[in-house]
């Protein structure tokens, strides 16, 4: 990985984030006419073997929304959550036993709508490696971590056009080690890689 994408340089860029998303979905074709549920996800990072790794979950096949898909830890905002950042951290604890106090939260990256009726705010955080992560089998099938340098490889990324509601949207796909990362998670990963300068 180029020096500009070293863990130290990536952290320097992430430290510019704050509580307000750096970007959000802006389009006349968007979902403004829909009643979207506020939700949040955490893009979790950890450093080992000299690289930052991104943690992903595969959702349980029994869930109603996005069953079996690759995702980031997260979910719907609950009334007891003081903020969407708290939602992302709470859900991460509920899904993979990552304690909020063990996460260095950099800030909000972006906010996007989903076709399943959610307005998702994505936060970026880092936790120390090794860490005793434990999946909640009611929500999560498995977890895996991918090196940032491999996710930034343009050979694993492709964009396809998909139709929804009479409109055509670009959908980002990342094929990594037998996993297909796409949909909202693919878009968030693409946005994250763009932000840190790993995509051109």
């Amino acid at each position: 990985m180029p020096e500009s994408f070293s863990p130290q340089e990536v952290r320097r860029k992430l430290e510019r984030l704050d509580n307000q998303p750096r970007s959000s979905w802006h389009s006349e074709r968007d979902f403004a006419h829909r009643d979207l549920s506020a939700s949040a996800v955490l893009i979790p990072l950890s450093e080992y073997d000299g690289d930052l790794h991104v943690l992903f979950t595969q959702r349980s096949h029994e869930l109603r929304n996005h069953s079996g898909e690759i995702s980031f830890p997260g979910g719907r905002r609950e009334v007891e959550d003081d903020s969407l950042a708290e939602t992302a951290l709470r859900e991460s604890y509920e899904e993979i036993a990552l304690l909020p106090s063990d996460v260095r939260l950099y800030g909000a990256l972006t906010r996007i709508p989903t076709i399943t009726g959610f307005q998702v705010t994505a936060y970026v955080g880092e936790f120390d490696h090794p860490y005793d992560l434990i999946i909640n089998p009611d929500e999560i099938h498995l977890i895996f971590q991918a090196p940032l340098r491999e996710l930034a490889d343009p050979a694993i990324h492709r964009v396809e056009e998909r139709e929804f509601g009479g409109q055509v949207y670009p959908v980002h796909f990342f094929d990594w080690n037998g996993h297909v990362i796409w949909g909202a998670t693919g878009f968030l990963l693409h946005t994250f890689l763009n932000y840190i300068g790993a995509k051109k």
Side-chain angles (χ1 to χ4, degrees), residues 8-18 22 104-107 126 195:
Q8 295 75 19
E9 181 64 16
V10 171
R11 290 188 187 104
R12 187 184 67 80
K13 295 173 182 176
L14 293 176
E15 286 168 355
R16 301 172 185 164
L17 297 176
D18 54 32
R22 276 301 180 104
R104 177 187 180 185
L105 195 66
Y106 291 102
E126 185 177 354
Y195 177 74

Side-chain angles (χ1 to χ4, degrees), residues 173-188:
F173 290 80
F174 294 81
D175 297 281
W176 182 83
N177 201 27
H179 300 288
V180 180
I181 304 162
W182 70 291
T185 306
F187 182 86
L188 292 176

Side-chain angles (χ1 to χ4, degrees), residues 77-105:
R77 183 175 186 174
E78 302 293 347
V79 292
E80 65 268 21
D81 295 337
D82 291 332
S83 66
L84 285 169
E86 187 172 312
T87 299
L89 294 172
R90 174 185 55 77
E91 287 281 348
S92 296
Y93 176 69
E94 292 177 1
E95 293 182 2
I96 60 174
L98 178 59
L99 282 167
S101 59
D102 290 339
V103 178
R104 177 187 180 185
L105 195 66

Side-chain angles (χ1 to χ4, degrees), residues 40-61:
V41 300
L42 179 69
I43 301 176
L45 308 175
S46 61
E47 181 184 357
Y48 58 95
D49 296 335
D51 286 325
L52 283 173
H53 289 64
V54 183
L55 182 145
F56 299 90
T57 65
Q58 182 180 21
R59 293 169 59 82
S60 167
H61 295 278

Side-chain angles (χ1 to χ4, degrees), residues 105-179:
L105 195 66
Y106 291 102
L109 176 68
T110 190
R111 178 175 293 136
I112 64 168
T114 71
I115 62 174
T116 48
F118 294 93
Q119 182 89 299
V120 181
T121 302
Y123 292 82
V124 183
E126 185 177 354
F127 64 97
D128 289 338
H129 178 86
Y131 196 97
D132 188 18
L133 298 168
I134 304 170
I135 65 171
N136 176 354
D138 292 333
E139 299 190 48
I140 303 300
H141 176 62
L142 61 83
I143 58 178
F144 63 93
Q145 297 186 66
L148 186 57
R149 59 181 172 80
E150 295 184 14
L151 294 172
D153 182 354
I156 73 165
H157 176 231
R158 69 183 191 277
V159 182
E160 297 181 5
E161 292 187 341
R162 296 291 175 90
E163 186 273 337
F164 173 73
Q167 300 290 341
V168 177
Y169 298 90
V171 180
H172 294 268
F173 290 80
F174 294 81
D175 297 281
W176 182 83
N177 201 27
H179 300 288

